[in-house]
């Protein structure tokens, strides 16, 4: 399901470009040989599936990869999320997850520190798609809960 087919409403052109770029050329897509934690999550409303793999060492996200399939929003969000959390402390990653959630619930200013992820703020106007954008971040939060 593409953004275009599900929403005839025009999103900001630049932001749409960023989303489609991550969708077509996802960053950090794949698996890790020995991840510290792996989580599968899906969004039955849209059919999105994400498996997140994290390599965490001394409280730092050394590596993050994702696999799965789904709509452009879910896959682009996962691509951008892995890009942003790699090299960050687990605490900083969780803070970003919180900021992202606030942005997706309408607080655009919360997205300022989120780099490319700001491109997803327009999705907050489409409640049915918010879950698509949040899926990867929920996977991140659940992964952290399961850290040894
Ligand atoms: Zn979706």
């Amino acid at each position: 399901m593409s953004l275009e087919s599900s929403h005839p409403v025009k999103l900001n052109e630049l932001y749409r470009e960023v989303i489609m770029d991550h969708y077509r050329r996802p960053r950090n897509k794949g698996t890790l040989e020995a991840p510290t934690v792996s989580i599968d999550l899906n969004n039955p409303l849209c059919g999105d599936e994400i498996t997140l793999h994290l390599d965490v060492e001394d409280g730092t996200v050394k590596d993050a990869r994702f696999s799965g399939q789904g709509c452009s929003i879910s896959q682009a969000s996962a691509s951008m999320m892995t890009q942003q959390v790699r090299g960050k402390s687990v605490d900083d990653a969780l803070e970003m997850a919180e900021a992202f959630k606030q942005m997706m619930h309408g607080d655009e200013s919360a997205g300022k520190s989120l780099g490319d992820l700001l491109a997803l703020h327009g999705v907050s106007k489409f409640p049915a798609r918010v879950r698509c954008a949040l899926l990867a971040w929920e996977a991140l939060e659940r992964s952290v809960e399961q850290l040894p």
Side-chain angles (χ1 to χ4, degrees):
M1 193 188 300
S2 80
L3 198 61
E4 287 79 5
S5 66
S6 42
H7 286 295
V9 185
K10 250 194 168 181
L11 292 179
N12 180 292
E13 201 64 26
L14 172 73
Y15 285 153
R16 202 175 62 183
E17 277 301 306
V18 173
I19 293 168
M20 291 315 291
D21 181 57
H22 276 273
Y23 178 56
R24 292 196 189 102
R25 299 188 301 118
R27 297 5 170 224
N28 308 311
K29 190 149 188 191
T31 56
L32 293 170
E33 220 154 84
T36 316
V37 60
S38 293
I39 293 277
D40 288 310
L41 264 194
N42 58 61
N43 170 19
L45 294 174
C46 180
D48 308 316
E49 297 168 5
I50 295 251
T51 303
L52 179 65
H53 313 274
L54 293 184
D55 182 2
V56 178
E57 222 182 283
D58 300 329
T60 299
V61 181
K62 295 277 179 198
D63 207 347
R65 303 284 169 95
F66 78 100
S67 49
Q69 53 187 353
C71 70
S72 54
I73 293 169
S74 68
Q75 302 300 302
S77 182
S79 170
M80 296 186 224
M81 183 275 283
T82 54
Q83 208 175 27
Q84 289 292 326
V85 302
R86 286 176 88 201
K88 296 248 172 27
S89 71
V90 169
D91 289 345
D92 285 352
L94 287 178
E95 242 172 65
M96 294 186 83
E98 198 48 50
F100 186 75
K101 270 193 275 186
Q102 284 175 20
M103 181 179 79
M104 294 316 294
H105 291 117
D107 181 3
E108 192 181 337
S109 65
K112 275 183 191 146
S113 58
L114 295 174
D116 281 358
L117 286 155
L118 187 58
L120 287 166
H121 88 266
V123 176
S124 67
K125 297 187 187 77
F126 307 105
R129 307 306 296 279
V130 166
R131 185 87 216 281
C132 302
L134 289 177
L135 189 64
W137 294 87
E138 279 175 32
L140 174 71
E141 289 177 331
R142 292 207 196 173
S143 300
V144 169
E145 282 167 15
Q146 299 207 359
L147 282 175

